[in-house]
Amino acid sequence: MSEKDLGQKWDRCLADSAIKFGTGLGLGIVFSVVFFKRRTWPIVFGSGLGLGMAYSNCQNDLRSHYVLHSKVAKEQ
Amino acid sequence: MAAKILPVIKFATKVTIAGGALYVAYDSGLLGDGKEGSVALGRAKAAVPPAVEEWMKYFGFELPATPKIEFSPLDAWNSGVQKSIHALSVAPSTVSDYTKQGFQYVKDLTK
């Protein structure tokens, strides 16, 4: 993996983390106001979910260079 | 009869709102891959100026033009990293120079 690819992957990771954190926060706020009587824990839970999804995406993206990719041949 | 249905309607409204928010997030690719996320971010950035203009026309007043910020965090960070590492790499020779100068100064004082 070249330095340029690595840099782009890290940029994608950071942007993705920000987006997922914001989405999780927003959805947490919506759920907290609508269902859970404006408590704090859905907001924290949503943000945590977002960060976790971003971490998992980053991990897969950074590993994808070293993982064997295969295709299933169609049966004739 | 209305009193019995009202809680059900309230609950159904809440489910609709929350489910709608969840569906919008899923549909715009915010919950998907990193690449989809950056596509969604690009779309949002492109959609903000026309939306702001629409709101301005609706309300009938002009927002002050956003000042163009010339600061780039990426460049600042990169130059910061380069300067720190350069400083670390020349640190031993700089320290030895300063100690030599210090010794020379003290020697000159004691002459």
Side-chain angles (χ1 to χ4, degrees):
Chain A
M1 194 160 41
S2 67
E3 279 274 348
K4 191 167 150 223
D5 287 338
L6 188 63
Q8 281 175 343
K9 283 190 190 201
W10 274 112
D11 285 344
R12 272 205 300 269
C13 269
L14 283 176
D16 196 38
S17 309
I19 289 170
K20 295 228 161 43
F21 180 72
T23 306
L25 194 74
L27 282 174
I29 290 176
V30 166
F31 272 78
S32 160
V33 163
V34 164
F35 283 125
F36 295 112
K37 296 177 190 146
R38 306 208 177 163
R39 295 218 191 99
T40 319
W41 69 261
I43 304 176
V44 176
F45 186 65
S47 327
L49 275 179
L51 285 175
M53 285 196 283
Y55 186 86
S56 169
N57 277 352
C58 274
Q59 198 174 37
N60 282 335
D61 198 10
L62 287 166
R63 275 185 191 169
S64 68
H65 184 75
Y66 302 103
V67 163
L68 286 174
H69 299 282
S70 66
K71 285 189 188 145
V72 177
K74 283 195 188 147
E75 286 197 22
Q76 295 288 331
Chain B
M1 195 190 100
K4 277 194 189 162
I5 287 191
L6 195 62
V8 177
I9 294 180
K10 262 176 56 177
F11 185 69
T13 319
K14 286 185 185 178
V15 166
T16 315
I17 294 175
L22 202 57
Y23 177 72
V24 163
Y26 169 71
D27 193 47
S28 52
L30 291 173
L31 296 174
D33 202 17
K35 296 188 183 105
E36 285 180 44
S38 40
V39 164
L41 192 65
R43 265 191 281 143
K45 269 195 201 165
V48 158
V52 167
E53 281 194 31
E54 285 283 329
W55 279 99
M56 274 165 41
K57 267 194 263 171
Y58 185 69
F59 281 116
F61 63 82
E62 289 280 315
L63 274 175
T66 45
K68 258 202 164 292
I69 305 173
E70 292 291 328
F71 178 73
S72 159
L74 188 69
D75 291 336
W77 176 266
N78 285 347
S79 90
V81 168
Q82 281 172 337
K83 289 214 176 98
S84 332
I85 300 297
H86 179 72
L88 279 178
S89 75
V90 300
S93 31
T94 322
V95 163
S96 78
D97 280 343
Y98 280 143
T99 17
K100 273 195 204 141
Q101 282 181 16
F103 278 143
Q104 199 60 36
Y105 180 71
V106 169
K107 264 195 217 164
D108 290 344
L109 282 181
T110 53
K111 268 191 194 150

